[in-house]
Amino acid sequence: MVLLQAFSSRRGRIFALSAFLALCILFVGYQTASPLSVYRQNPVVLKQPESGQNIGHGHQAMGEAGDNLTPPPLETWNHHEGNTGIPANHKDVSPPTTPWGEANIDQGVGTGSIEAGEETNSSDETQHVSPAASAPAEGEECVSFEQLQRMKPGPLSAGKRQFPYVRPPPHCRTFQLPALEKLIERMRTVIKDPDLFRLFENSYPNTLDTMIKWHGYARNSSPWDTDNGGTPKSLASFLATPDEVQDPEEKEEESNPGTDEELTYIITGDIDAMWLRDSASQLYSYLPFLTPSPDKNSLASLWRGLINSHARYIVISPYCHSFQPPPESGIPPTRNGAYSQNNPQPPYDPQKVFDCKWELDSLASFLQISSAYHARVPEDLAFFGKYRWIEAVQAAVDAAAAMRLGTYDEEGKVLPSAWTFTGWTNRGSETLTNDGLGNPVKENGMVRSGFRPSDDACIFQLLTPSNMMFAAYLEQASVIMEGLAGLNGLEVGKREMAKNVTVQMRELARGIRHGIAKDAVVTHREFGEMFAYEVDGYGSANLMDDANVPSLLAFPLWNYTHPLVDHKTIAKSIHGGSRDHQVPKRSASNQPSLDDELSPPSPPSSYPPPPKSKPYTTSPPPSHNYSLIYQNTRRFILSLSNPYFANGPALSAVGGPHLGPGKGWPMAATVAALTAYNSELSGLSSGTKEQEKVVSEQLRMILDSTSGTGVVHETVNAWNEKDWTRSWFGWANGLFGELIVKIAEEEAGRGVKWESGEGLLGRLWQ
């Protein structure tokens, strides 16, 4: 009664209203300050787009079209495994030969200038497609990709799914690749189903269309440099020009001239920052089109720019995974609300780093795109010696080697960790236990990883697929490093450093392989010998798989079972090389001829001392049949025995803790189909009905899980296709494009007659 009287008075009502508003402010403040508000930590669950619905975030640059290029031969399409053949009607297809127009690379390759905060988009129109009137026409202002999706521009695909055409018009695309446009036009005549073709033409070019946020040149003195004789300049001072200068551009060129070092900045899509892993995977999808070119508007230039950007970032913070735009771009850093909530040690500069989680696959991705460039453009070995690539690889090797240490020394004392992480969060997957150390680990040669490629914390830090990928690309990239050690014209200091790093890379890879063979192969009561997703070296194992690559399911994609390096010849090749050479050579068996790839040896004192002996470098690793182990692992992963296999009528695919149980990732379905074509490891014979059935099932699930948007999403509720996340996710879309190209290559090699309705691409999916 007293309470009612108090609230009936004017003062009581004011007090109650004030208390209610205070509670609301506290609640909203908690939500926005929490790390859960960060894009990757709490993605907005998006339903089917409706008019006026906000789909996401991000900005793009504008671009101008290029032409006169033809696609690469079909035999270059697949870059995971060897090609199988070319159809007769592809005989006239040749590699790109004609250069582009004269876009200003300082403003971005094939792009116009980007003003801070400007929202623009860009993409190419295929030859016979005319976007609906609702889409921006040539000369009109470009709209964001999310807005373009909400417009659902036509013409809609002619199938039952009626997918919109969501490629931005040509003048709005962020990078032009005419060879890709020619391939899309060729696939228009190959893919019979209109919905499948529309999904392909929307998805495959998505990164180039919308996510190349900047491509340009490094300045001679960047504000991020700390070794230029002074303290790092602020972004404001870097961009500012003294008032007394009449010609700001001329003054900038005089005081801080540009270099010929290309830089590339690729965002993930709706997250306005660059992940090392994502950006590498996004560009890797276009490897079939990579050909030698010095042209600033070429894919080769874009690729070199990404390698250089990765190298710069790794030198700055080798334990971090996502980064801010280069200061040369003029793009302001993106604010990350998690910065004040997370405590990684060593700390990072938020002007340079967007977020900092130690994910081993980030370094593996840097080595992956480096090795891919060298494999496609072997004559450009000197590129890797020009800038900071050797230094970055050294930083990566040092960072990884420091994380091989176990939790305790031989006497049981707790060892300091090179990197720790704690986060103020209400999600267990966003922080590490034991005050940032993570669960205890026993040293076995593998490298500890605090977080998975999904950005979720590891339970046991010896993450098997990331270690596999890192070891494979350490070996492949060591061929580049070995070549630099004997490269005429390279500075003596860099050559000596390259010799040292070559030894370290291969010893690190050897230790990882030993640890995987010893501890990461376990026996399951139902599936037999299989890979564990995570182990701790003590005998504990986490039996699961996660959708994000590297995953156990993706094991065949990085050639782990066929190492490029014979470790028995390492010492001989490094310490007893032969003639000088310009480019590392390969033997007829496609294995590196290590004894022939180094210059004559210097005095013994110039070589690195042998590393301290460890059990995993002196004893042979256990022997395993990795083909059989992968087949068992694959059966486990794609079954309900995998705790993160999302099974339902909308999508049955691997998921993960990032979005939780019941949420399958279409990307995992793509990987399941891609790896089915590796007959040696999957056990599915090439061209058989069994193999086609596996690929067909995955392809249909992807096609049916876009909720009518015509793009591939991050996750989809296994029981509700309209419950999905991320409408703008470049990595998954590029990977889907790779799958379609792989199917085309496989079917072409078998002489499939698409025009007669044969094969997966010749059938209707209605």
Side-chain angles (χ1 to χ4, degrees):
M1 190 69 176
V2 174
L3 186 64
L4 290 174
Q5 290 177 349
F7 275 82
S8 64
S9 67
R10 185 166 179 264
R11 179 178 298 176
R13 287 194 298 272
I14 292 175
F15 174 81
L17 180 60
S18 300
F20 176 77
L21 290 175
L23 288 172
C24 290
I25 291 172
L26 286 172
F27 177 78
V28 173
Y30 170 77
Q31 292 296 320
T32 57
S34 168
L36 294 183
S37 65
V38 180
Y39 301 125
R40 279 255 168 175
Q41 296 170 340
N42 189 24
V44 178
V45 178
L46 300 174
K47 309 298 181 181
Q48 185 166 354
E50 299 174 354
S51 177
Q53 179 183 352
N54 183 20
I55 298 183
H57 311 273
H59 314 291
Q60 301 80 46
M62 296 191 297
E64 299 178 359
D67 52 16
N68 299 326
L69 290 185
T70 55
L74 190 61
E75 70 263 28
T76 68
W77 285 7
N78 175 46
H79 53 273
H80 290 308
E81 302 147 32
N83 67 292
T84 55
I86 308 174
N89 54 6
H90 279 259
K91 288 182 179 178
D92 59 343
V93 179
S94 58
T97 55
T98 307
W100 289 14
E102 297 300 322
N104 183 357
I105 197 167
D106 282 331
Q107 304 295 338
V109 167
T111 70
S113 61
I114 306 175
E115 298 297 333
E118 179 181 350
E119 292 192 7
T120 56
N121 266 72
S122 133
S123 103
D124 271 353
E125 183 183 41
T126 51
Q127 184 177 350
H128 304 298
V129 175
S130 299
S134 58
E138 182 74 33
E140 293 184 3
E141 182 179 357
C142 300
V143 300
S144 70
F145 184 65
E146 298 96 327
Q147 184 177 347
L148 185 67
Q149 287 181 303
R150 289 194 296 271
M151 293 163 63
K152 295 185 177 180
L156 302 179
S157 62
K160 66 180 182 180
R161 300 169 186 86
Q162 295 189 308
F163 290 150
Y165 177 74
V166 293
R167 294 193 69 189
H171 72 286
C172 293
R173 296 171 187 171
T174 58
F175 191 85
Q176 302 287 347
L177 186 57
L180 176 59
E181 300 305 320
K182 293 294 181 67
L183 173 65
I184 291 173
E185 286 309 307
R186 168 61 185 137
M187 296 300 286
R188 185 187 302 278
T189 67
V190 170
I191 302 174
K192 185 174 183 179
D193 187 86
D195 295 338
L196 181 59
F197 174 73
R198 176 57 53 82
L199 185 59
F200 171 74
E201 72 171 332
N202 282 343
S203 298
Y204 196 28
N206 193 232
T207 288
L208 296 182
D209 281 355
T210 69
M211 301 175 210
I212 311 301
K213 185 149 188 180
W214 183 78
H215 179 47
Y217 290 124
R219 288 292 183 184
N220 193 43
S221 178
S222 165
W224 286 4
D225 290 340
T226 57
D227 56 357
N228 54 11
T231 57
K233 294 183 291 184
S234 67
L235 178 63
S237 65
F238 176 74
L239 298 175
T241 305
D243 295 336
E244 65 271 13
V245 178
Q246 293 183 347
D247 189 344
E249 293 185 4
E250 181 179 340
K251 178 63 179 179
E252 172 66 14
E253 288 298 324
E254 292 176 357
S255 62
N256 189 17
T259 70
D260 62 353
E261 180 184 358
E262 297 141 311
L263 296 174
T264 300
Y265 186 71
I266 302 176
I267 60 175
T268 69
D270 54 11
I271 306 175
D272 206 354
M274 187 166 96
W275 264 246
L276 296 183
R277 170 189 57 256
D278 287 47
S279 61
S281 298
Q282 287 169 261
L283 199 58
Y284 198 78
S285 292
Y286 308 111
L287 183 61
F289 304 99
L290 179 59
T291 56
S293 176
D295 195 308
K296 63 186 181 182
N297 296 322
S298 65
L299 180 62
S301 176
L302 194 70
W303 206 289
R304 291 189 296 267
L306 189 63
I307 293 172
N308 288 335
S309 293
H310 277 212
R312 174 190 278 191
Y313 291 137
I314 289 169
V315 170
I316 290 172
S317 293
Y319 289 115
C320 296
H321 72 291
S322 58
F323 293 85
Q324 301 284 10
E328 292 92 337
S329 69
I331 303 171
T334 300
R335 181 184 178 275
N336 186 348
Y339 173 69
S340 61
Q341 303 295 323
N342 294 337
N343 180 32
Q345 293 295 329
Y348 65 90
D349 182 351
Q351 295 293 311
K352 304 174 183 178
V353 176
F354 178 75
D355 199 11
C356 191
K357 291 177 178 176
W358 165 233
E359 299 170 1
L360 180 60
D361 63 277
S362 293
L363 301 184
S365 298
F366 165 60
L367 299 177
Q368 178 190 38
I369 58 169
S370 299
S371 301
Y373 181 81
H374 178 62
R376 297 284 295 183
V377 192
E379 61 268 35
D380 197 16
L381 174 65
F383 159 71
F384 293 98
K386 288 185 68 175
Y387 309 110
R388 307 187 76 176
W389 188 81
I390 299 176
E391 182 183 357
V393 174
Q394 179 72 78
V397 168
D398 289 345
M403 294 299 286
R404 283 189 303 176
L405 289 179
T407 305
Y408 308 99
D409 66 13
E410 295 177 354
E411 297 178 349
K413 296 178 181 178
V414 177
L415 295 169
S417 178
W419 185 85
T420 62
F421 182 95
T422 55
W424 183 258
T425 176
N426 59 3
R427 290 185 65 179
S429 61
E430 293 297 333
T431 188
L432 297 182
T433 188
N434 292 323
D435 295 324
L437 284 174
N439 285 311
V441 170
K442 185 175 182 180
E443 184 176 356
N444 71 349
M446 296 172 69
V447 178
R448 292 162 44 211
S449 184
F451 288 81
R452 301 167 179 169
S454 62
D455 299 342
D456 298 304
C458 292
I459 296 175
F460 302 127
Q461 295 183 65
L462 301 180
L463 180 57
T464 304
S466 291
N467 272 269
M468 289 173 167
M469 182 182 181
F470 188 54
Y473 287 116
L474 274 172
E475 292 165 345
Q476 293 182 35
S478 76
V479 176
I480 305 173
M481 194 67 74
E482 189 176 46
L484 293 174
L487 183 64
N488 288 332
L490 189 63
E491 298 95 317
V492 173
K494 285 190 174 182
R495 291 178 63 169
E496 291 301 312
M497 187 176 183
K499 291 177 185 178
N500 294 350
V501 179
T502 302
V503 174
Q504 297 168 24
M505 294 170 77
R506 292 173 176 174
E507 286 300 319
L508 184 55
R510 177 190 175 110
I512 292 171
R513 285 184 175 275
H514 189 285
I516 290 173
K518 176 177 176 288
D519 290 325
V521 177
V522 299
T523 301
H524 190 280
R525 61 178 176 266
E526 180 181 351
F527 297 96
E529 273 198 326
M530 58 173 283
F531 293 120
Y533 185 68
E534 296 168 345
V535 295
D536 63 0
Y538 288 102
S540 299
N542 181 12
L543 303 186
M544 59 164 281
D545 199 22
D546 190 281
N548 285 261
V549 178
S551 62
L552 293 177
L553 185 60
F555 173 74
L557 299 185
W558 46 82
N559 210 25
Y560 181 81
T561 56
H562 297 284
L564 285 178
V565 174
D566 177 2
H567 292 282
K568 294 180 181 179
T569 68
I570 291 176
K572 182 180 178 183
S573 67
I574 294 297
H575 295 277
S578 57
R579 66 185 187 278
D580 284 341
H581 66 285
Q582 295 292 338
V583 179
K585 308 201 183 306
R586 307 247 179 178
S587 64
S589 63
N590 203 35
Q591 298 293 323
S593 181
L594 299 176
D595 290 339
D596 294 335
E597 291 190 354
L598 290 178
S599 59
S602 303
S605 60
S606 68
Y607 293 102
K612 182 180 178 182
S613 295
K614 295 283 187 179
Y616 44 79
T617 61
T618 58
S619 60
S623 178
H624 294 292
N625 182 344
Y626 281 145
S627 294
L628 179 59
I629 290 172
Y630 174 72
Q631 292 166 28
N632 294 341
T633 307
R634 182 184 178 92
R635 289 189 297 112
F636 164 83
I637 291 169
L638 300 177
S639 75
L640 292 176
S641 294
N642 175 10
Y644 282 105
F645 184 75
N647 186 62
L651 179 70
S652 292
V654 180
H658 194 64
L659 272 300
K663 300 293 182 67
W665 290 58
M667 182 166 67
T670 301
V671 170
L674 271 173
T675 53
Y677 283 117
N678 188 314
S679 299
E680 176 188 353
L681 293 177
S682 71
L684 301 169
S685 299
S686 180
T688 61
K689 292 294 184 181
E690 182 184 12
Q691 184 187 68
E692 184 175 282
K693 179 176 181 293
V694 169
V695 178
S696 173
E697 289 173 350
Q698 306 301 321
L699 190 58
R700 178 173 288 281
M701 286 192 295
I702 300 167
L703 190 59
D704 288 341
S705 62
T706 76
S707 193
T709 61
V711 292
V712 180
H713 301 306
E714 178 188 49
T715 67
V716 176
N717 188 322
W719 289 83
N720 180 9
E721 68 161 306
K722 296 185 178 181
D723 178 11
W724 47 267
T725 59
R726 300 190 70 183
S727 64
W728 189 19
F729 184 33
W731 182 9
N733 282 275
L735 197 63
F736 175 74
E738 286 187 63
L739 172 61
I740 298 300
V741 169
K742 177 62 178 174
I743 293 173
E745 180 197 32
E746 289 287 329
E747 295 188 341
R750 301 198 310 271
V752 170
K753 297 179 180 179
W754 295 310
E755 65 277 8
S756 300
E758 296 178 3
L760 298 176
L761 301 184
R763 71 173 64 169
L764 289 174
W765 295 84
Q766 301 300 310

